[in-house]
Amino acid sequence: MLISKMAAEGGGKEMNEIKTQFTTREGVYKLLNHSEYSRPNRVPFNSQGSNPVKVSFVNVNDQSGNGDRICFNVGRELYFYIYKGVRKAADLSKPIDKRIYKGTQPTCHDFNHLTATAESVSLLVGFSAGQVQLIDPIKKETSKLFNEERLIDKSRVTCVKWVPGSESLFLVAHSSGNMYLYNVEHACGTTAPHYQLLKQGENYSVHTCKSKSTRNPLLKWTVGEGALNEFAFSPDGKFLACVSQDGFLRVFNFDAVELHGTMKSYFGGLLCACWSPDGRYIVAGGEDDLVTVWSFSDCRVIARGHGHKSWVSVVAFDHYTTSVEESDPMEFSGSDEDFQDQINFGRDRANSTQSRLSKRNSTDSRPVSVTYRFGSVGQDTQLCLWDLTEDILFPHLPLSRTRTHTNVMNATTSPPTGVGVGVGGGGGVTVGSNPGANGNPAGSGTDVGTGTAPGNSLPTPLPRSNSLPHSAPAVTANSKASIMDSAIATGVSKFATLSLHDRKERHHEKDHKRNHSMGHISSKSSDKLNLLAKTKTDPAKTLGTTLCPRMEDVPLLEPLICKKIAHERLTVLIFLEDCIVTACQEGFICTWARPGKVGLLSSQNQANSPSGTVV
């Protein structure tokens, strides 16, 4: 008994060792101890009962060349610093702005990158009591407070983001399961809003605010059942991926307010989601301890990844290491500099990937190797990095001879019997005797989603993918006008005006089939929709469908690396050009230098600090 106990303690000590370095094919990533951001006293935060630590970045185009700014929340506190990254040590004694709130806590925040300058930035902050604040931490001003009296929603703000391409529109999600579209120029009113139905579909509905004068919120979305945990805009801003506590990923056309496709977790709620740089894939994570890769064009799960031992809290694609190359996959080199020319960060850089991917449709015989890199962090305090490779993306091809770190478990991955058809919708699926299953049921029905990835110029899906041929209708620039006409027909013309004219001009192509277009909603159709939305399906029936394939029916990814990097649960994962940023619930924001990207000062600092664990 004593020997067993000692062995267990010894093993536990090794398992609990915090890693400060890890190696991938690109080289060694190193934790920069002196680039750690936290509260000025560096005392670990007592995170019991506190909201997750979140981090937001913005570049203010400072003439000095050090324009990066970082914002993070710890408990009741909100900090705004110059972010020096791998170049210089962090100076925590000089925050640009610091705020301490009473009676409520910051839960999330987002910068407006369009309007940011060295003299002014617009930062949205969501709170645990439901309010949203617009502040300027450079001018140290508080310009507006939305939902101040909590007349719109009394529940915690789970996610807040500026609408891409807009200087004034922003979207807010709450733990009530509702999302609201706001305009910073409009007031919230002194009474609770009254709503008018705009559109309704499979377990979602969208309402406009019914008032004589325009007021916030402009739109109210009710999505799924339980909390709406996170949403993410596609790289071109046209589509919106939402993950909810009912275990569903729902992808909407944001302008048309239509459901494109859905996916169900293996069990439990989904907590996070992100888009690939080219908008072709969405990765989601949650309470099933898995990362799930979903194809936007095929509307189906193409892979799952298992490496975490607890809930997955954040997933993110690495735009800089995702690569598209015109060479033999076996000749893929590993230096970090090689990756910088492959993918750039942001929308313009995502287009670079799309142009390379479009070469797959040509008759050129030169092979094109594609590898998507994404990462995940979880409540198990571990960081996992994953590669999504040829043999997973295009299973009809012979498996690559390269080391792909994938484990194909009897992966039949046969094409679905319809075009991205998922029958039924349900809550958490109890698998075996797992006690962590979530039993919240959700709406049922059949979702059909077709079309190409958002922002992608390709007219059809990749020819070698495991998908059925689609015939995406050619929709012209009149699409937005037609949506506007539909909105006018339902007496809510101001919705079309705000969502189409307040936003900066973007691509006009709408290249996906609209299966839930409800341009004119009569009373009879509303009754039918209400009946449809109330229809419930046995949660177990989703298992084995395209909504939630069985584990043996899709490839199972293994992580490239899976390392314990913190003592408390991890809440942040952000990929920057020269580093990776992580944060844990203790309030420590860590910078991991990419291979070859350690600055001179940081190198000197590292030399004076205890050597980390080399992995």
Side-chain angles (χ1 to χ4, degrees), residues 108 119 283 379 410 461:
C108 50
E119 292 77 34
V283 171
Q379 297 198 8
N410 302 321

Side-chain angles (χ1 to χ4, degrees), residues 102-118:
K102 295 181 179 179
T104 186
Q105 293 184 1
T107 58
C108 50
H109 32 84
D110 189 45
F111 287 106
N112 192 319
H113 297 267
L114 281 179
T115 61
T117 66

